[in-house]
Amino acid sequence: MRVLGIDPGSIITGYGIVEKKGKKLNTLKWGAIRTKRNQSFPEKLKKIYDDLCEIIKDYEPSVGAIENIFFAKNAKSALKLGQVRGATILALINSGLKTAEYTPLEIKQSITGYGRADKNQVRIMVTKLLCLKETPQPFDASDALAVAICHLHSAVFKEKCSNLLQSSRRTRKR
């Protein structure tokens, strides 16, 4: 399974592609889509959308996972972030990808075991979990890799639960 993790932002949108082969996690790519301060907001949304579509085309992930922001410093920031998330989800859906969303608490818990871990703790654990020789920069990229890892952990758990449920149903029918 190949996952595109996304940490949405109107100035910097982090992305990371992680592939699971057996029990091993491989990092294919990470980085940040940076918009320019002098761009209009619709132009920023277009850049984020276009760049994500290009990344999806180049790396062919099987699923997209995005951080689900549940609060912002002010209403204007929340609205802008919602629009960025919309453009991001649209890029995933228009590319034919299933999407998953995770709260920062779920992501941090999955990566560090502590839901209130700071960005540096997450970055350190991402580096270790992916056996990276260099630390992912910027934080938006390491956060995006964390989203991808969270999805991979979650997908394995959901698959095991589904298998147990199916097995239980077969046993009851006999």
Side-chain angles (χ1 to χ4, degrees):
M1 176 184 289
R2 189 177 287 185
V3 179
L4 168 60
I6 302 169
D7 179 36
S10 61
I11 297 170
I12 301 174
T13 291
Y15 66 89
I17 301 168
V18 178
E19 183 174 56
K20 183 172 182 158
K21 288 189 175 183
K23 292 187 178 190
K24 191 171 188 314
L25 298 178
N26 298 312
T27 309
L28 302 179
K29 175 88 172 160
W30 75 76
I33 299 167
R34 297 175 188 272
T35 60
K36 297 178 182 164
R37 297 211 185 269
N38 63 348
Q39 285 179 301
S40 69
F41 192 70
E43 289 172 327
K44 289 179 181 190
L45 292 176
K46 182 176 179 348
K47 173 155 181 54
I48 293 164
Y49 175 87
D50 289 347
D51 286 8
L52 282 174
C53 286
E54 193 65 31
I55 291 163
I56 292 165
K57 185 176 142 197
D58 290 346
Y59 290 93
E60 299 178 338
S62 51
V63 67
I66 184 169
E67 185 174 11
N68 187 359
I69 307 300
F70 57 92
F71 76 94
K73 293 178 184 176
N74 61 51
K76 189 175 180 181
S77 295
L79 287 171
K80 281 188 174 183
L81 191 53
Q83 291 173 341
V84 171
R85 282 179 34 77
T88 300
I89 292 169
L90 191 59
L92 296 171
I93 295 296
N94 282 349
S95 298
L97 297 182
K98 291 184 179 181
T99 62
E101 298 179 66
Y102 299 94
T103 66
L105 181 74
E106 290 172 311
I107 296 163
K108 291 173 182 180
Q109 243 171 345
S110 174
I111 302 303
T112 69
Y114 176 59
R116 303 223 184 266
D118 65 31
K119 285 189 171 288
N120 199 50
Q121 289 171 309
V122 171
R123 178 187 276 170
I124 289 167
M125 285 305 296
V126 162
T127 304
K128 288 181 181 183
L129 288 169
L130 296 174
C131 302
L132 300 174
K133 293 179 180 165
E134 59 182 290
T135 304
Q137 302 285 343
F139 278 119
D140 309 86
S142 59
D143 287 351
L145 288 168
V147 174
I149 295 167
C150 175
H151 179 74
L152 287 166
H153 288 167
S154 182
V156 167
F157 177 73
K158 286 177 183 175
E159 184 179 332
K160 286 180 181 177
C161 288
S162 177
N163 290 343
L164 284 171
L165 185 61
Q166 288 174 0
S167 175
S168 172
R169 286 181 183 156
R170 277 188 239 124
T171 305
R172 276 189 264 150
K173 286 181 181 179
R174 293 180 185 164

